[in-house]
Amino acid sequence: MKYLKVIAFTHKQIELKELGKLVLCQENLTDKLHEVKARFGINEIFYLATCNRVEFVLSTPQKVDKEFAHQFIESLGMGLCHNSMGTFLDAASIYEDHAAMEHLLRTSCSLESLIVGEKEILAQLRKAYESGREAGLTGDKLRLIMECVVKTAKEVYTHTNISKNPISVVSLAYRKLKDLKLCSNARILIIGAGETNKNISKYLQKHKFSNFSVFNRTLSKAQQLANDLGGEAFELEDLKTYKRGFDAIITCTSAVEPIITTEIYASLLNGDTDRKTIVDLAIPNDTAAEVLEQFEVNFIEVHSLNEVAKKNLQERYHELSHAETIIEQNISEFLVMLKQRRIELAMRQVPEKIKEIRNNAVNTVFAEEVQSLDKESREILEKVMNYMEKKYISVPMIMAKDILINSN
């Protein structure tokens, strides 16, 4: 676990609007991570970006401090100016070893989330790891870490009330949208077909909204969501020419530049002067700041949910200690498992060595004696040696594990 390091930028130290500057473009994300992995001698790595955090999870013997983080972030080509880089580095949280493990477990259980008790973070963390694994960026160490992360989060959600009457960024955003009292036949444009928009769409559908147009870079994903909603699918580029009007926009994409520019918004209005609603749950925002300056808009974003999030934390505060106890128990169990794993890796050549000794004894050292035995005697000798071989493999392994565990 000593090689586990985390570089974290979160809502606790950084304004959500600023956090978006650290989000990496998905199109060349894998290439960039492979490049920094090779450049900095990182054994394993994956990248997590949600509406309230950007984190890099590493397994590396390298010393990870603010100087390392500076070089690391700079090599990712985010285009940050000197002042922004300094601000972000000052706000970065760097964890290693036990503290890094505790941070990941707390994160997976939503204890570090803007909305404590929301379960989306576990799915997001798993997806981030799986993406890294599929890209060949992770290996055995982070696999073991993630197994513990998932196990711990499930125990916290099962054995505490931290997620009772669950609240999430999506549900809070829908509550604010509901307060605007849109009619059920409101024309709703959904930009992006990821998990966040799928989740908020379920709320809309549940409350009888039925007029949907879904836009996405990958048309097949737009079609899938549109089919679920009984709506129509479009490619993202079609926003520029869409003239059917709208009452609300729900947007959440992984774009690093605004999707809804003043030109596109004016085109979507197509002369309509009514006040519209935008629910923008993307980090960075999909809506250009100029849109809000030039047009009358009901704007709902992640940042505006902070006060509700604080109230939610107060309501769940008494569950935190129970969750933290579960986390500490799992870290203790994980440390024992790691010791056992080290023994297994260290002794994985024992079976081969024992087989070599056996073959040498039968075929070389005692070859003449073995050859002189009758068939029945050879069969008995074979059984005895098979039995001894199994015991010589299993007994030292068990004893070594017990010695190592009991010595601490």
Side-chain angles (χ1 to χ4, degrees):
M1 198 162 66
K2 64 181 180 180
Y3 287 170
L4 179 62
K5 317 285 172 69
V6 179
I7 303 173
F9 305 90
T10 76
H11 66 98
K12 292 188 174 183
Q13 286 85 27
I14 302 171
E15 285 287 332
L16 292 175
K17 291 181 179 179
E18 292 298 306
L19 197 58
K21 295 178 181 178
L22 293 169
V23 174
L24 295 172
C25 178
Q26 292 292 320
E27 292 180 9
N28 58 354
L29 174 60
T30 298
D31 291 340
K32 283 189 174 182
L33 292 179
H34 273 295
E35 287 172 11
V36 295
K37 184 172 182 279
R39 176 177 173 181
F40 293 98
I42 297 169
N43 299 327
E44 304 177 36
I45 183 173
F46 72 87
Y47 159 80
L48 171 69
T50 75
C51 64
N52 52 56
R53 68 184 59 254
V54 170
E55 303 197 12
F56 298 90
V57 182
L58 320 172
S59 175
T60 177
Q62 301 294 327
K63 181 180 180 181
V64 176
D65 53 16
K66 290 295 175 76
E67 183 179 348
F68 176 96
H70 187 174
Q71 295 175 6
F72 178 85
I73 296 301
E74 199 168 51
S75 68
L76 287 167
M78 294 180 177
L80 299 174
C81 68
H82 178 75
N83 288 339
S84 291
M85 178 69 81
T87 300
F88 283 125
L89 289 174
D90 288 342
S93 297
I94 297 176
Y95 305 92
E96 63 180 358
D97 201 352
H98 188 286
M101 188 67 180
E102 183 178 13
H103 169 75
L104 285 178
L105 297 187
R106 288 179 61 86
T107 299
S108 72
C109 302
S110 81
L111 303 192
E112 299 294 322
S113 294
L114 178 66
I115 311 295
V116 173
E118 56 93 5
K119 292 184 177 181
E120 283 88 345
I121 182 59
L122 176 57
Q124 291 165 333
L125 192 50
R126 292 178 75 170
K127 184 177 180 181
Y129 165 73
E130 285 299 326
S131 295
R133 184 186 63 80
E134 290 168 5
L137 292 163
T138 68
D140 194 56
K141 288 186 173 64
L142 290 185
R143 177 185 65 80
L144 294 173
I145 296 288
M146 283 304 299
E147 286 178 359
C148 181
V149 164
V150 173
K151 174 179 175 289
T152 304
K154 287 182 176 179
E155 287 181 11
V156 168
Y157 291 133
T158 301
H159 300 299
T160 76
N161 289 323
I162 203 161
S163 60
K164 187 178 180 181
N165 300 320
I167 295 175
S168 64
V169 168
V170 168
S171 65
L172 292 179
Y174 178 74
R175 289 182 190 185
K176 296 197 76 169
L177 178 62
K178 188 179 178 183
D179 290 341
L180 297 174
K181 300 189 183 327
L182 289 177
C183 59
S184 59
N185 66 343
R187 300 161 296 173
I188 300 175
L189 309 186
I190 296 179
I191 303 175
E195 287 302 312
T196 298
N197 277 356
K198 286 179 183 177
N199 290 336
I200 200 166
S201 295
K202 290 176 184 176
Y203 282 98
L204 293 165
Q205 196 172 35
K206 180 180 178 181
H207 290 87
K208 310 304 180 187
F209 288 92
S210 58
N211 193 343
F212 298 100
S213 297
V214 183
F215 297 80
N216 195 63
R217 279 195 175 86
T218 306
L219 182 59
S220 60
K221 292 183 178 179
Q223 288 171 332
Q224 188 175 16
L225 181 54
N227 290 340
D228 292 341
L229 298 172
E232 194 170 356
F234 300 88
E235 292 184 351
L236 193 59
E237 283 294 309
D238 293 333
L239 272 176
K240 297 175 181 178
T241 55
Y242 187 83
K243 300 295 183 184
R244 300 184 193 177
F246 72 100
D247 298 296
I249 294 174
I250 312 292
T251 185
C252 185
T253 75
S254 58
V256 294
E257 296 293 335
I259 298 291
I260 307 170
T261 60
T262 53
E263 294 77 15
I264 286 179
Y265 191 76
S267 175
L268 290 171
L269 286 173
N270 197 26
D272 192 344
T273 57
D274 290 345
R275 188 186 188 99
K276 306 298 181 182
T277 297
I278 300 177
V279 179
D280 190 337
L281 300 182
I283 297 291
N285 281 348
D286 287 332
T287 310
E290 294 78 13
V291 171
L292 307 180
E293 295 169 0
Q294 297 180 27
F295 300 93
E296 291 293 321
V297 177
N298 297 316
F299 191 60
I300 300 170
E301 59 173 338
V302 176
H303 180 72
S304 66
L305 306 176
N306 272 324
E307 287 306 313
V308 185
K310 289 176 183 176
K311 182 181 178 183
N312 171 64
L313 176 59
Q314 292 172 353
E315 292 172 353
R316 296 167 196 271
Y317 187 79
H318 63 284
E319 292 296 324
L320 296 184
S321 61
H322 190 184
E324 287 165 350
T325 298
I326 292 174
I327 287 171
E328 284 304 315
Q329 288 173 345
N330 273 275
I331 290 177
S332 297
E333 291 172 7
F334 181 73
L335 289 172
V336 172
M337 186 278 293
L338 275 186
K339 292 176 182 177
Q340 293 175 335
R341 179 67 173 164
R342 284 201 297 270
I343 288 293
E344 289 171 0
L345 293 174
M347 299 187 69
R348 61 187 172 186
Q349 292 183 339
V350 170
E352 287 78 8
K353 292 295 182 183
I354 291 175
K355 288 182 186 297
E356 286 178 14
I357 293 170
R358 169 183 167 160
N359 290 334
N360 188 50
V362 172
N363 300 318
T364 304
V365 180
F366 302 105
E368 291 183 12
E369 290 88 340
V370 171
Q371 289 297 323
S372 66
L373 296 174
D374 58 39
K375 182 179 179 183
E376 185 177 349
S377 297
R378 285 188 188 182
E379 288 177 353
I380 293 172
L381 177 62
E382 185 72 18
K383 288 179 181 180
V384 171
M385 294 189 72
N386 284 341
Y387 175 81
M388 294 295 291
E389 181 180 329
K390 289 178 182 177
K391 290 300 179 182
Y392 274 121
I393 290 172
S394 62
V395 172
M397 191 84 73
I398 294 169
M399 291 178 66
K401 286 181 180 179
D402 288 341
I403 292 169
L404 184 58
I405 292 167
N406 294 329
S407 66
N408 288 281

